[in-house]
Amino acid sequence: MTVSDLDFNYHGKTTMADHLIAAAGGGVLHTKQAGKLRFMDYRDDEQQRAITMKSACIVLKFRDHVINLIDSPGHVDFCSEVSTAVRLSDGAVVLVDTVEGVHIQTHAVLRQAWLERLKPCLVLNKIDRLITELKFTPAEAYARCQSIIGEVNNIIHTFRSEKYFSDVDSILTKPTATGEEVDDEEAEDEEDAFSPERGNVAFGSAGDGWAFRIDHFSDLYAAKLGASAKALKKALWGHHYFVPKTKLIVSKKAAAGKYKPMFVQFVLEPLWQVYDAAMQGSDGVEMLNKIIKSMNLTIPSRELQQKDPRLVLQAVMSRWLPLSETVLGMVIECLPDPASAMRERVERLLPEEVSLPEANMKIEGELERVRKAVETCDSSEDAPCVVFVSKMVALPVEMLPRHNAKGELISHAEMSTGDMDAGGRECFLAFARVFSGVVTEGQRMYVLSALYNPTAQEPDNKHIQVATIESLYRMMGRGLEPLGKAVAGHLIAIRGLGQQILKTATLCSTPFCWPFASMRFQAAPIVRVAIEPSDPADMGALTKGLRLLNRADPFVEVTVSSSGDHVISAAGEVHLERCIKDLKERFARVEFEVSPPLVGFRETIEVEEIGGANQSSVAQVVTPNGRSTIRVHVTRLPDSLTQVLDGSYEFLRNIIDENKVTSRLSTTSKQGSLYPGENSGDDPVTSLRNRLLAAVETGLEDGKTEEVKKWTDKLKRIWALGPRRVGPNILILPDETGSVVKEGGSVSSANGDAEDVALVKGYPRVSDKLGFVGKQADRSTTDDDHSMLFKEAESLESSVIAGFQLATAQGPLCEEPMWGLAFTVEVLVNTRERLTADFTESSSLGPDATAGSAGVESYGGALSDELRRKTSGFASPQLVLSHWEPLPEDPFFVPKTEEEIEEFGDGSSVLQNTARKLIDSVRRRKGLPVEEKIVQFATKQRTRARKV
């Protein structure tokens, strides 16, 4: 069984893991070091900051069960580590600090577990803080615990409601939905996810090493009260009250406020008595000895004679209510075993696929065999072996065992060069889980990428490779143990895949296997900085180091900007700081300069009135050779339409690149859904088309029928998207019915004569792929007189698209991408071989750099520090790109009206506004010319007086 511990930062995951390791880790950690050593935090910066940055795994043995425990980070900057951990798990243990309560990161980890279909348990940690810090009474602590459990249950109910309504929409949108219905009563009567009486909620203090569940006290009081343990287990939580005289358990109404809830009376009050006696020091020794004697505890006298009352308290509580017994017992009893868990998760990991028509029955049978083996977690040697790699881990070579499973010495020369860096200091291991079959050392496996299609008649070799498993390791926190083989359900580290895997992949012993669905991440990398070496001679080493960093971190993105800068994108400032540290000390080992955070901007036009451009705003440009005429009409897209195009980036890229579009691809987006309408009954293309049409109707002012009709018609003539072929700008084909080209291929010249011309028609490729075009248009021409002319016009199509991509990739203000614009292009080729470029824009085009100012002010730590200071540390920000917002300022403002001239004069004294400052800062960073005064303060030169 594999279990991940999940919570927000500083809620006690790693401290709890120490106690579990000390009790069931095979002696790798002494009990006295539990909670102090932070055994799973093996990095130096983790120990210094006291936070977990990398998820780590260890094997525990408890009551004849083998449990793989994954300690995952709680900081929002390392949310990717949570995603990699839950993918390999069968269940999850969620911790909540009873003082801080449910945090936003608690929502995030619960959603991650829900999306991966993991069954969670709940631990209410740091109960001791309610006693020693907040001075709560038992009744107040009980109310606090009730509130937290109710809040967590509400989160799960929200997830269930989303799924319920999604299922309803899916059924209602299906044309064959007759006879299908959703069970309303089942959805409404579904029980709470966490309930102490069911045993999946524990209360405790990881710092003091104790925890309990209700069944511990129900067994303790069963004989004393003369009731069954099963009845007491139900009564010890909720509105149940014990009447001492009658020895009956009554409801809240019958208690009439005279009695305390049983959880307060029989559970919390004894805990408060122990803490009161222990924290009094020598004054409470007598009372503490009585409590120890009544509980039949055996505690060495030297531990009771400690001068620190906290140590005495920990000695008593850890023996009365041992944390490891409670948490590991809850894991075994409440969380499913691997076989049971996979029956629920197989639909998420291996969604049903529609095979290609040419797929034969043999392939279909092999695919079903693999799926069945994964679903049943088949561990037999005859079963197909399926392994999923969730991330690549970079470890110093010194941490690798010197001997293999057979005891043979392994030299560095025997290691694959793909697993090592250039200096031989770092080794890359694949962090993986065996989902079926048996994997052995030296076995040959197929490495499948996310786009691999086993039913294709001619599989693409770039999506499938063959690799050899060189070594297998069992991960034990800070160390590795060599393995000869691993069976289904085991977590392992694999050496020998560094050449074939960049971040994640699916391994299988047969090529007839669908790759696992990609993992979902909470957010996308948003903090970006540029890197350049201090010494230009170190550029090669820096480039290699960046490649190693990109492989070692599942969330970081390393790119090269259009200006040639190497850019690192991270989840937040703490994540970025760790990446910079690893790059400098481990991967590149050279000195380099780091730029201030790069803030993304977009350039657009500001249109005061909706409407087309008039003829007077048309600008025509004739090329020197005078061969063709180009007219470009630029308008602003409705904001809602721009948002849909930008939000469907990944899905549109797969459509344009003609990749396979299935439900599997819906999980590759880092922000969740790959295409809109993922849970809808419609196919993804239809869902996106409907959203585009809905965006047109809702995005136009007052829903004018004429405007809606005009934009709907434009959606049927989308030639291309930009920049980079999938951006939020569209290139629209000219409307032949309203263009200057007349029937018969002629156009009126300036003197009224008719000239033979050919219009570069293009083809609405994007509209066709989205289903807006009913049938493919006939682009052929039968006019022999114009055949050469039309061929020449057709040859210019690629030039038009290239110009559109270039124009939208680098705007005129500061060479930032354009945002939310529609370009309508008319290219005319005439017999006189004349070229005219015509840019038609709206009558009120005011250029404006589009960006949220909050993005500029979010970096540098000021926002985080101020937010934590104002909320006393209860809130911390997570940087997520929300939206692009226009900045309503003219960067080139010049006084024109009488009021402006009266206020600002000739404009020489007008200070630069925010828009102009941002444009200049971006241009200065890119090395573009900036209009600025070189000398701001100077004095007139004085000359000597000439003596006569």
Side-chain angles (χ1 to χ4, degrees):
M1 179 188 299
T2 302
V3 178
S4 297
D5 56 357
L6 310 173
D7 72 347
F8 178 60
N9 210 28
Y10 301 115
H11 279 205
K13 296 184 312 300
T14 306
T15 304
M16 184 189 73
D18 274 5
H19 289 279
L20 302 183
I21 295 170
V28 297
L29 180 63
H30 195 275
T31 54
K32 290 186 178 181
Q33 294 294 324
K36 304 175 183 177
L37 185 62
R38 298 179 62 87
F39 182 79
M40 302 295 276
D41 292 345
Y42 58 88
R43 293 171 55 99
D44 293 339
D45 47 2
E46 290 179 323
Q47 292 288 341
Q48 294 171 0
R49 288 177 174 268
I51 62 173
T52 303
M53 298 183 182
K54 284 283 190 180
S55 57
C57 174
I58 193 170
V59 178
L60 307 177
K61 296 181 179 180
F62 180 76
R63 296 181 189 172
D64 299 327
H65 289 78
V66 177
I67 301 173
N68 297 309
L69 176 65
I70 304 178
D71 182 31
S72 60
H75 198 283
V76 293
D77 281 9
F78 307 104
C79 57
S80 61
E81 296 289 336
V82 177
S83 301
T84 59
V86 298
R87 167 51 61 91
L88 306 183
S89 302
D90 299 308
V93 177
V94 180
L95 279 77
V96 177
D97 188 334
T98 53
V99 174
E100 297 186 6
V102 177
H103 198 273
I104 184 63
Q105 189 65 7
T106 310
H107 289 253
V109 298
L110 285 172
R111 177 170 286 277
Q112 286 291 112
W114 173 264
L115 293 176
E116 291 290 340
R117 302 189 180 182
L118 297 186
K119 186 176 181 180
C121 290
L122 180 64
V123 176
L124 298 188
N125 194 24
K126 301 188 179 182
I127 298 290
D128 60 298
R129 295 184 62 190
L130 299 180
I131 306 173
T132 59
E133 294 182 18
L134 300 185
K135 307 297 182 181
F136 274 17
T137 64
E140 293 173 336
Y142 172 59
R144 177 68 171 172
C145 293
Q146 272 190 321
S147 173
I148 293 176
I149 295 175
E151 191 172 352
V152 176
N153 280 325
N154 288 337
I155 297 173
I156 301 297
H157 283 307
T158 302
F159 299 156
R160 290 173 177 172
S161 299
E162 292 176 359
K163 182 179 183 301
Y164 169 74
F165 287 115
S166 175
D167 292 342
V168 172
D169 293 339
S170 177
I171 292 176
L172 293 178
T173 53
K174 290 181 180 178
T176 59
T178 57
E180 297 185 30
E181 58 182 12
V182 178
D183 191 351
D184 294 347
E185 295 182 359
E186 181 180 353
E188 293 177 359
D189 298 338
E190 203 164 5
E191 59 186 5
D192 291 337
F194 303 103
S195 178
E197 57 266 30
R198 294 210 314 270
N200 63 354
V201 178
F203 308 83
S205 169
D208 291 339
W210 61 269
F212 68 88
R213 290 187 295 164
I214 283 184
D215 56 357
H216 176 88
F217 287 92
S218 63
D219 296 337
L220 179 65
Y221 289 111
K224 295 182 179 180
L225 299 180
S228 66
K230 185 177 181 180
L232 280 178
K233 189 175 181 180
K234 295 181 179 179
L236 280 176
W237 184 261
H239 299 292
H240 303 284
Y241 303 82
F242 181 75
V243 181
K245 293 183 179 180
T246 61
K247 293 186 177 182
L248 296 176
I249 299 175
V250 298
S251 63
K252 183 178 182 179
K253 184 177 181 181
K258 299 179 181 179
Y259 307 102
K260 303 175 183 178
M262 293 186 64
F263 187 80
V264 174
Q265 182 179 358
F266 293 103
V267 178
L268 295 185
E269 287 186 351
L271 290 176
W272 261 244
Q273 293 175 4
V274 174
Y275 267 82
D276 289 341
M279 298 306 290
Q280 289 178 10
S282 57
D283 297 336
V285 172
E286 184 178 353
M287 176 61 69
L288 187 61
N289 289 330
K290 291 182 179 179
I291 296 174
I292 294 174
K293 185 177 180 180
S294 64
M295 296 177 182
N296 297 323
L297 301 179
T298 302
I299 302 176
S301 58
R302 65 178 180 274
E303 295 187 12
L304 295 177
Q305 295 174 0
Q306 296 280 351
K307 294 183 179 180
D308 188 354
R310 196 78 183 193
L311 297 178
V312 177
L313 174 66
Q314 293 174 1
V316 175
M317 295 300 297
S318 61
R319 286 171 172 80
W320 178 32
L321 303 171
L323 183 145
S324 59
E325 291 284 336
T326 300
V327 175
L328 294 179
M330 179 174 63
V331 167
I332 293 174
E333 296 173 14
C334 300
L335 297 184
D337 58 87
S340 302
M342 286 310 301
R343 285 196 291 269
E344 298 293 330
R345 301 188 63 205
V346 68
E347 292 294 333
R348 167 71 180 94
L349 301 178
L350 287 172
E352 292 286 352
E353 295 289 349
V354 180
S355 301
L356 298 181
E358 60 267 19
N360 55 40
M361 296 302 297
K362 180 181 178 181
I363 296 178
E364 292 288 347
E366 190 68 18
L367 291 173
E368 184 59 29
R369 175 171 169 263
V370 173
R371 182 184 178 86
K372 191 68 176 177
V374 174
E375 183 177 1
T376 58
C377 199
D378 192 347
S379 59
S380 63
E381 295 185 357
D382 298 334
C385 180
V386 179
V387 180
F388 181 77
V389 177
S390 66
K391 66 175 181 177
M392 299 296 291
V393 181
L395 295 176
V397 175
E398 293 77 14
M399 293 185 63
L400 296 180
R402 297 299 182 184
H403 298 80
N404 59 17
K406 299 178 182 179
E408 300 172 348
L409 183 65
I410 303 176
S411 63
H412 287 182
E414 299 177 5
M415 296 184 181
S416 173
T417 56
D419 296 328
M420 309 283 290
D421 64 349
R425 297 177 294 264
E426 300 287 336
C427 180
F428 283 88
L429 303 179
F431 183 46
R433 169 177 171 165
V434 185
F435 281 89
S436 69
V438 180
V439 59
T440 59
E441 196 175 47
Q443 182 178 355
R444 291 174 62 84
M445 300 281 285
Y446 292 95
V447 182
L448 314 178
S449 72
L451 298 178
Y452 174 68
N453 185 0
T455 64
Q457 196 169 11
E458 296 181 359
D460 194 344
N461 291 331
K462 68 180 181 180
H463 297 313
I464 180 172
Q465 303 177 68
V466 179
T468 301
I469 306 299
E470 295 184 4
S471 297
L472 297 175
Y473 302 103
R474 176 189 292 119
M475 305 186 75
M476 294 295 292
R478 303 185 179 192
L480 298 171
E481 295 181 1
L483 294 174
K485 66 176 184 179
V487 299
H490 284 191
L491 288 188
I492 55 176
I494 306 175
R495 182 172 59 83
L497 303 176
Q499 197 74 18
Q500 291 80 15
I501 300 178
L502 177 63
K503 292 181 181 288
T504 66
T506 304
L507 309 181
C508 189
S509 58
T510 172
F512 304 113
C513 173
W514 286 107
F516 274 34
S518 299
M519 295 178 294
R520 301 192 184 196
F521 297 103
Q522 298 176 22
I526 189 173
V527 181
R528 302 183 303 128
V529 294
I531 304 291
E532 64 176 359
S534 302
D535 185 356
D538 295 331
M539 177 58 76
L542 180 61
T543 303
K544 293 179 181 178
L546 288 172
R547 284 200 295 264
L548 295 176
L549 175 65
N550 187 38
R551 177 181 297 179
D553 194 299
F555 203 56
V556 73
E557 291 183 358
V558 178
T559 57
V560 179
S561 66
S562 57
S563 59
D565 296 331
H566 293 276
V567 178
I568 296 179
S569 301
E573 295 185 59
V574 179
H575 183 211
L576 177 64
E577 184 178 341
R578 192 201 69 185
C579 292
I580 297 299
K581 183 176 184 295
D582 287 347
L583 182 63
K584 180 176 294 187
E585 299 178 0
R586 299 177 60 187
F587 301 130
R589 293 178 180 261
V590 296
E591 294 296 326
F592 53 82
E593 303 296 330
V594 182
S595 73
L598 307 179
V599 181
F601 292 89
R602 295 296 183 268
E603 299 182 23
T604 187
I605 61 176
E606 187 67 28
V607 181
E608 298 178 358
E609 298 179 359
I610 298 177
N614 52 34
Q615 187 65 25
S616 62
S617 63
V618 175
Q620 294 189 4
V621 180
V622 180
T623 58
N625 58 9
R627 297 191 53 158
S628 302
T629 301
I630 304 175
R631 288 184 172 87
V632 181
H633 174 51
V634 184
T635 56
R636 179 80 172 267
L637 289 176
D639 292 339
S640 56
L641 183 59
T642 304
Q643 296 297 333
V644 173
L645 291 173
D646 184 59
S648 308
Y649 176 88
E650 293 288 344
F651 177 60
L652 286 170
R653 184 177 63 180
N654 283 301
I655 287 183
I656 295 173
D657 293 342
E658 297 183 347
N659 290 331
K660 183 174 179 286
V661 181
T662 64
S663 59
R664 172 185 310 283
L665 293 177
S666 66
T667 58
T668 59
S669 174
K670 290 189 176 181
Q671 300 201 29
S673 177
L674 175 62
Y675 58 82
E678 175 182 348
N679 295 319
S680 174
D682 292 334
D683 64 278
V685 176
T686 303
S687 300
L688 178 56
R689 183 172 65 249
N690 293 336
R691 284 198 63 188
L692 290 173
L693 293 173
V696 170
E697 295 181 359
T698 59
L700 294 176
E701 196 175 301
D702 300 329
K704 296 180 180 179
T705 306
E706 295 181 359
E707 291 292 331
V708 171
K709 184 178 179 181
K710 182 182 71 173
W711 280 103
T712 303
D713 178 67
K714 289 183 179 181
L715 291 178
K716 299 178 182 179
R717 295 185 280 117
I718 302 178
W719 193 356
L721 300 175
R724 294 181 295 277
R725 301 185 300 128
V726 286
N729 304 286
I730 62 177
L731 175 62
I732 301 176
L733 292 175
D735 185 3
E736 297 183 35
T737 60
S739 68
V740 295
V741 181
K742 302 183 183 302
E743 296 181 3
S746 64
V747 64
S748 298
S749 63
N751 56 11
D753 298 333
E755 301 176 357
D756 290 334
V757 298
L759 175 67
V760 178
K761 297 181 179 180
Y763 181 70
R765 294 183 179 88
V766 178
S767 297
D768 185 23
K769 293 179 182 296
L770 293 176
F772 285 108
V773 180
K775 61 180 180 178
Q776 185 169 352
D778 185 9
R779 305 182 62 193
S780 63
T781 177
T782 58
D783 193 341
D784 295 336
D785 296 334
H786 297 84
S787 58
M788 295 300 296
L789 199 59
F790 277 98
K791 287 181 180 179
E792 184 178 355
E794 188 175 349
S795 66
L796 295 177
E797 292 182 7
S798 60
S799 300
V800 175
I801 296 178
F804 166 72
Q805 299 294 344
L806 181 61
T808 55
Q810 296 181 348
L813 296 180
C814 50
E815 295 188 358
E816 289 290 299
M818 303 297 287
W819 175 263
L821 301 181
F823 295 76
T824 306
V825 180
E826 291 182 356
V827 182
L828 308 177
V829 181
N830 57 34
T831 54
R832 295 184 181 179
E833 298 183 347
R834 182 187 62 193
L835 173 61
T836 303
D838 177 9
F839 292 87
T840 305
E841 302 184 37
S842 176
S843 57
S844 58
L845 298 182
D848 189 12
T850 306
S853 60
V856 182
E857 301 168 357
S858 298
Y859 305 122
L863 175 63
S864 302
D865 296 342
E866 185 70 11
L867 185 60
R868 280 193 285 266
R869 186 177 66 84
K870 291 292 186 181
T871 61
S872 301
F874 281 94
S876 59
Q878 179 178 9
L879 301 178
V880 177
L881 178 61
S882 174
H883 63 281
W884 299 97
E885 182 177 341
L887 190 60
E889 293 180 351
D890 184 359
F892 307 105
F893 171 74
V894 175
K896 295 179 181 179
T897 64
E898 294 182 0
E899 293 80 3
E900 293 174 348
I901 294 175
E902 182 179 354
E903 182 177 357
F904 301 104
D906 60 354
S908 59
S909 60
V910 177
L911 298 177
Q912 289 186 347
N913 54 26
T914 303
R916 184 60 181 271
K917 291 179 181 179
L918 294 177
I919 290 175
D920 288 347
S921 65
V922 176
R923 292 182 65 89
R924 192 176 294 110
R925 172 169 56 85
K926 293 184 176 183
L928 301 175
V930 178
E931 295 182 5
E932 58 182 348
K933 294 181 179 179
I934 304 301
V935 179
Q936 294 184 355
F937 306 100
T939 58
K940 185 177 179 180
Q941 182 179 0
R942 296 182 179 180
T943 59
R944 293 181 178 181
R946 180 179 298 179
K947 295 182 179 179
V948 180

